[in-house]
Amino acid sequence: MIKRQKILMQIVICLGAASVFAFFMAFISPRILFLGKFNSAQYMNLSITKFESLTEMTLMHRAFIATGVFILVSVLTGILTTYTYKKIEDKEFNKVRTKLFVDFLNKLKISNTGEGFMDAIQNDLEYKANCEVLFVDPKTDHVIYNSSSRFISEPKTLDNLTEKFKGVEKSGFYFFDDDFNIVKKQKTAKGFAIITESTWLFIICRFLHNVEKEIFPAIYTEIISYEKKEATLSKLLEFAELAKEWNMIAETQRSFLPKKIPDIKGLDIGAYYRPLVNVSGDYYDFVEVSETKTLFVVGDISGKGLPAALIMGVVVNTIRIAEDKEDIAALLYSVHDAIRRMGLVDKYTVMFMGLIDTEKMTIRYVNASLESPLVLTESMDGYKIKTLDSNCSIVGIIDLDDVEVQEVSLYRGDVLVMLTDGVPEVMNENGVELGETEFYLESVKQYAKQSAGELVEDIAGMAFAYSVGRKVRDDLTIVAVKLEG
């Protein structure tokens, strides 16, 4: 239903856009004055005289006008299409029977554990939608959950379903009929199945033919996302429960950090990571989005120990499983929601996310209250420093306002230095922080000509040398990127 409505609306919008564009193209045509009928030779002569007195519209002028009209029509068409699609989806998804599955889908989005998943099945599918549910582990054929109805509880039902779906090699969602045969048409289906490597979820529903079809792939996608979140938390919690020493937790935490510096064309990358204790609140990551775009993440979790390690794993994993890593604002909202769903009191993160585009030579970024990264640009007088200051509040504890993604131009040879507050807040014997001295930035300028790997090592060495006689009181994380060219 939604698909047909979207196609029809797309045709209507395209026809409208084409009509507007055709009208303007006719308007800028040099023959516009001669369209229509002439009533007399005298009127024709008068029209030609007026046409000759007008300023001639050159080919360049027509090209500029046509381009401007085309861009305007394209933008308006895109806005109108997005708005119309949303209205269609809202209308269809708010229908009573479809909304029962929408409620289940929304519950899935906030589920990180098996308990939350089972609660969504029981409350939204069984009690509210009156569906019958069978949840099976395909690796062991073990029934994890089944409804209490006689039909779904019969061993024969499980045998029939597993026999029919054993041959399914591709993960996805499937409809099945009264005989448990896979069918393509929703109208003839008695139920549907969500099939993944670790989940077989069979749902029998008497009003399935009245449910909007677009909801089924959405449920499948959300179950895949749930499995990844649940696996991450399970891994961390498993180590946390079994570990007798912090070293085991620290190793688990480090497994979420990059195992090596990636080899990315046009970029020289260096990273330095030293936790204050075995388990750190600092984290960083590099994600190669495309051949020309790379996402850099540096952050710091409030506090130390196991809670910080758990949140760090959730933050990094949330970013890595996101489908659209170019939408930085959406990534930040996802991280914010993931932390809040964990329910840990007074835990939040400050973080920087920057997407470097080596083709356009730009960086698009959000700085959520992290120490301002430095952009060093070489000039005749040495390196000039520009800071990428905070433009967003802390993440995970208070409601976020609209996230503003800023963009800055870069140049070949530029150096980007991202770090947590452990470096600039190092103190000397007089209690003066390194970041408050001129020595700090002047030293960074001197190190800028070196490779990114040498640069981060020198900055870390500067911090330790400055704090001689005093203990470094925080984690140290430094990431440097040089734009080669």
Side-chain angles (χ1 to χ4, degrees):
M1 181 67 72
I2 285 182
K3 193 172 183 179
R4 289 198 298 269
Q5 291 184 36
K6 284 182 176 180
I7 292 173
L8 180 61
M9 190 55 61
Q10 184 70 52
I11 292 173
V12 173
I13 292 173
C14 287
L15 288 175
S19 301
V20 172
F21 187 67
F23 172 78
F24 276 96
M25 289 302 294
F27 178 75
I28 64 173
S29 170
R31 299 178 181 271
I32 186 63
L33 290 177
F34 303 107
L35 296 176
K37 269 187 175 180
F38 288 102
N39 295 322
S40 66
Q42 182 181 2
Y43 184 72
M44 179 184 291
N45 185 55
L46 178 61
S47 297
I48 294 172
T49 304
K50 287 183 177 181
F51 177 75
E52 290 175 349
S53 66
L54 293 174
T55 304
E56 183 180 356
M57 186 181 292
T58 66
L59 180 61
M60 184 65 71
H61 291 152
R62 295 190 195 101
F64 278 130
I65 293 174
T67 302
V69 171
F70 179 77
I71 293 173
L72 180 61
V73 170
S74 299
V75 171
L76 292 177
T77 300
I79 294 173
L80 184 59
T81 301
T82 302
Y83 175 79
T84 307
Y85 281 7
K86 187 176 187 305
K87 286 294 182 183
I88 291 173
E89 289 176 354
D90 289 345
K91 177 184 175 183
E92 294 299 323
F93 284 170
N94 282 328
K95 289 184 178 179
V96 175
R97 291 179 173 177
T98 298
K99 193 174 186 306
L100 293 170
F101 284 93
V102 172
D103 291 341
F104 171 67
L105 179 65
N106 291 333
K107 189 72 71 66
L108 271 182
K109 290 180 179 180
I110 60 173
S111 297
N112 290 320
T113 62
E115 290 80 2
F117 186 46
M118 298 310 301
D119 179 69
I121 289 176
Q122 290 178 332
N123 289 327
D124 292 282
L125 290 182
E126 284 193 280
Y127 301 152
K128 293 181 181 179
N130 198 25
C131 297
E132 297 178 66
V133 182
L134 180 62
F135 184 17
V136 180
D137 182 347
K139 297 177 181 177
T140 62
D141 288 338
H142 175 68
V143 176
I144 300 174
Y145 179 83
N146 64 272
S147 300
S148 57
S149 67
R150 178 182 297 178
F151 174 77
I152 207 72
S153 300
E154 288 182 357
K156 185 179 178 181
T157 301
L158 173 63
D159 293 340
N160 288 333
L161 283 170
T162 53
E163 180 183 352
K164 297 292 184 180
F165 283 86
K166 276 292 186 183
V168 174
E169 297 179 356
K170 186 177 179 181
S171 296
F173 70 96
Y174 298 87
F175 297 115
F176 58 86
D177 60 15
D178 290 333
D179 297 322
F180 307 112
N181 294 313
I182 297 174
V183 295
K184 293 184 178 180
K185 292 184 179 180
Q186 180 182 346
K187 291 182 179 180
T188 61
K190 180 179 183 179
F192 71 98
I194 303 294
I195 304 297
T196 72
E197 290 184 2
S198 56
T199 298
W200 280 10
L201 182 64
F202 302 99
I203 301 170
I204 297 175
C205 177
R206 57 185 173 81
F207 56 83
L208 197 65
H209 59 283
N210 288 329
V211 177
E212 174 52 51
K213 189 174 182 179
E214 298 291 328
I215 204 71
F216 302 110
I219 292 175
Y220 166 73
T221 300
E222 202 55 49
I223 286 180
I224 291 293
S225 177
Y226 156 76
E227 289 178 345
K228 291 178 180 179
K229 291 185 291 185
E230 197 270 341
T232 298
L233 285 175
S234 296
K235 184 178 179 182
L236 285 170
L237 291 171
E238 180 183 356
F239 274 98
E241 291 172 359
L242 299 176
K244 299 293 183 180
E245 300 180 7
W246 285 101
N247 283 337
M248 295 186 67
I249 304 176
E251 289 174 7
T252 305
Q253 186 188 40
R254 289 192 183 98
S255 70
F256 291 101
L257 299 175
K259 294 178 174 58
K260 64 178 183 178
I261 303 294
D263 185 14
I264 299 175
K265 183 179 179 180
L267 298 178
D268 177 23
I269 303 171
Y272 180 92
Y273 177 77
R274 182 182 185 277
L276 177 64
V277 293
N278 284 342
V279 180
S280 167
D282 283 7
Y283 57 92
Y284 67 96
D285 204 4
F286 326 106
V287 183
E288 192 171 1
V289 179
S290 69
E291 289 185 2
T292 61
K293 295 177 182 177
T294 306
L295 179 67
F296 292 88
V297 181
V298 176
D300 186 3
I301 307 292
S302 61
K304 298 287 184 290
L306 179 58
L310 289 170
I311 293 178
M312 191 213 81
V314 169
V315 170
V316 173
N317 191 63
T318 298
I319 295 172
R320 288 180 180 175
I321 68 174
E323 293 184 2
D324 185 3
K325 297 180 178 63
E326 294 187 35
D327 191 346
I328 301 176
L331 285 177
L332 197 74
Y333 284 124
S334 297
V335 170
H336 176 75
D337 293 338
I339 295 175
R340 296 190 76 168
R341 288 196 295 265
M342 293 184 73
L344 299 175
V345 180
D346 297 329
K347 292 300 173 188
Y348 60 88
T349 184
V350 296
M351 65 186 307
F352 174 87
M353 287 192 288
L355 183 71
I356 293 181
D357 187 335
T358 54
E359 182 179 20
K360 294 182 179 179
M361 292 304 294
T362 59
I363 178 170
R364 296 175 60 250
Y365 72 94
V366 172
N367 184 357
S369 304
L370 189 73
E371 184 71 25
S372 297
L374 310 174
V375 177
L376 292 91
T377 302
E378 192 170 12
S379 67
M380 297 293 292
D381 301 324
Y383 281 93
K384 303 294 183 183
I385 292 182
K386 177 167 50 182
T387 57
L388 306 181
D389 298 325
S390 174
N391 56 1
C392 179
S393 63
I394 60 178
V395 178
I397 192 169
I398 59 176
D399 292 335
L400 288 177
D401 295 325
D402 291 340
V403 175
E404 178 185 2
V405 178
Q406 295 185 344
E407 184 173 298
V408 172
S409 296
L410 299 173
Y411 303 92
R412 300 294 178 189
D414 275 7
V415 181
L416 173 65
V417 178
M418 300 160 279
L419 38 74
T420 55
D421 57 8
V423 174
E425 290 183 1
V426 165
M427 292 184 181
N428 63 10
E429 63 273 12
N430 298 320
V432 179
E433 291 184 355
L434 175 60
E436 297 176 355
T437 66
E438 293 183 4
F439 168 73
Y440 172 55
L441 293 182
E442 290 301 320
S443 297
V444 174
K445 290 179 183 179
Q446 292 178 14
Y447 305 148
K449 291 187 177 182
Q450 303 179 87
S451 69
E454 293 171 332
L455 173 61
V456 296
E457 291 290 339
D458 285 346
I459 292 176
M462 171 181 60
F464 286 111
Y466 186 80
S467 64
V468 63
R470 296 174 64 92
K471 266 193 167 185
V472 175
R473 298 180 300 174
D474 204 351
D475 309 316
L476 298 183
T477 301
I478 311 163
V479 175
V481 185
K482 294 193 73 171
L483 280 80
E484 299 174 333

